[in-house]
Structures are given as structure tokens and as C-alpha cells.
Amino acid sequence: DVKVTQSSRYLVKRTGEKVFLECVQDMDHENMFWYRQDPGLGLRLIYFSYDVKMKEKGDIPEGYSVSREKKERFSLILESASTNQTSMYLCASSFVGQGTGEQFFGPGTRLTVL
Amino acid sequence: SQKIEQNSEALNIQEGKTATLTCNYTNYSPAYLQWYRQDPGRGPVFLLLIRENEKEKRKERLKVTFDTTLKQSLFHITASQPADSATYLCALNGGSQGNLIFGKGTKLSVKP
């Protein structure tokens, strides 16, 4: 059974803290994505990576950075958390090549910044 | 830039009826369009994909249509059940690297 796992389901942090969100996939997918999801705004792409050590900015990269040192792992970093980064964070992965391009999502991390 | 609109934020229907959800896009015709289901507190789950050269796709009680002239996809659930209650998202390919652009979703509630 294919799987995308995220390090935490719920996380509470204080303003100014550095926050790491980890995502691991076991499908040998090349592509990995980080989204945030907020009521009324839908899923918004923060960053994505199509290979190890490669990254591309999505629609809302400000305040975030990412790291992909191994194919199966994609980390999202909030350098200095702020209250407006309180959100649901979703990681996804997909296969490159002849396929449906479907994305497999993790269960999400609900982050609260106080 | 490409925009997607899912016309209804919420749709309430009676059990047994057919639910029809709409997804419209504004610019270029995508190579394919996907539909996902999302339950509260969980990540989206892929349901169906339809390519630009396909008019219709079916999977069990689900049917998706794709009209490139109208720039619209319709998603149908026939003989709907309360277990079909969820938020349904449409998505289309956003670039060459496999990223998707998602609509905001339609929350479907099926009442017994």
C-alpha cells in the first residue's frame, strides 16, 4: 500500500520559532510538493521538488524554505514562524513520466502558531 | 495565468439522487483534469482523471465529462449515499513538472 507520511498530525509553536515539517514517501516518486490549505482559499502550492536537491517556488513561498537531500524525504521549514502561518500543511508526491500525474497526499499537519 | 472555479461551495442533495459538481477553467486547455475527494482533517484522495481528447470517463458510480469548448468538467455521482459526503476538488496540470492547480472544492452533503 503506497504511503506518504508526515511527521506530526498536530503541532503548536510560538511566534519566532523555527519549525520543521517532514514528509516521507515510499513510492520512489520523483516529484514532491508542499501545500497549505486554508478555509475559503483552497490548496495553495508553497514549494515543489522534481529531484533530489532541486526545488521550485510555488505560488506562496514567502516565509518558507525546503530541503530535499534524499529522494524519499521533503522537508518544509518555517524559519521564523508567524501567526499567519497557522494552517493545515499537506505534503504530496507523484510519479514523473507516463502516468496519470495523480498526486498522493499525506494526512496533513495542522500547525498552530501562537 | 490559469484559474479554476468550482461554482458551488456547498451542495446538499437527497440520498439516491445524482450529484453534479462543476469545474470551470479560464485559459489554456489542460492536457488532463483530475478529481479528488477530501474528508475532514485528511489529505485529498485521487478519484479520476480525464484527458483533453476524452469526452467522458466512468468509474463505478462516478462519471466525469470534459468539454474543452466550454472549458468545463462535470463530475457526477449517481445513486448518491451519505458516505459520499465530502469535499470534492478538481485539479488541472499547472506546468511541465507535474504540479497541479486545484480548485477550492465543493462540499457535498448527502442527506438520508
Side-chain angles (χ1 to χ4, degrees), chain B residues 39-97:
Chain B
D39 291 289
R42 295 181 177 272
V45 175
F46 172 81
L47 295 174
L48 276 171
L49 172 143
I50 187 164
R51 299 185 191 279
E52 60 180 335
N53 59 350
E54 296 174 321
K55 297 280 189 216
E56 184 179 296
K57 204 78 164 287
R58 289 177 187 262
K59 179 182 175 182
E60 297 170 354
R61 293 185 295 111
L62 308 180
K63 184 177 88 170
V64 173
T65 62
F66 195 2
D67 189 325
T68 55
T69 302
L70 292 178
K71 296 189 176 181
Q72 182 180 83
S73 174
L74 299 179
F75 177 81
H76 307 272
I77 306 176
T78 57
S80 59
Q81 303 164 1
D84 295 327
S85 298
T87 295
Y88 292 86
L89 307 171
C90 70
L92 49 80
N93 54 300
S96 59
Q97 299 295 347

Side-chain angles (χ1 to χ4, degrees), chain B residues 19-53:
Chain B
T20 299
L21 285 64
T22 305
C23 177
N24 294 290
Y25 57 93
T26 56
N27 290 337
Y28 59 85
S29 276
Y32 53 79
L33 194 145
Q34 303 182 14
W35 285 89
Y36 289 77
R37 169 184 173 139
Q38 186 174 22
D39 291 289
R42 295 181 177 272
V45 175
F46 172 81
L47 295 174
L48 276 171
L49 172 143
I50 187 164
R51 299 185 191 279
E52 60 180 335
N53 59 350

Side-chain angles (χ1 to χ4, degrees), chain A residues 9 31 33 35 37 40 43 48 50 90 99-103 105-107, chain B residues 32 34 36 38 41-44 46 49 51 89 97-100 102 104:
Chain A
R9 288 303 308 271
N31 288 344
F33 307 86
Y35 297 90
Q37 187 173 35
L43 273 169
F48 66 100
Y50 53 89
L90 288 158
T100 63
E102 68 177 280
Q103 293 189 6
F105 283 83
Chain B
Y32 53 79
Q34 303 182 14
Y36 289 77
Q38 186 174 22
R42 295 181 177 272
F46 172 81
L49 172 143
R51 299 185 191 279
L89 307 171
Q97 299 295 347
N99 51 312
L100 296 174
F102 282 86
K104 293 180 182 178

Side-chain angles (χ1 to χ4, degrees), chain A residues 9-26:
Chain A
R9 288 303 308 271
Y10 300 94
L11 209 51
V12 180
K13 294 291 181 181
R14 299 224 172 259
T15 301
E17 279 193 80
K18 190 168 186 175
V19 181
F20 292 87
L21 301 181
E22 300 271 308
C23 175
V24 178
Q25 51 97 2
D26 66 358

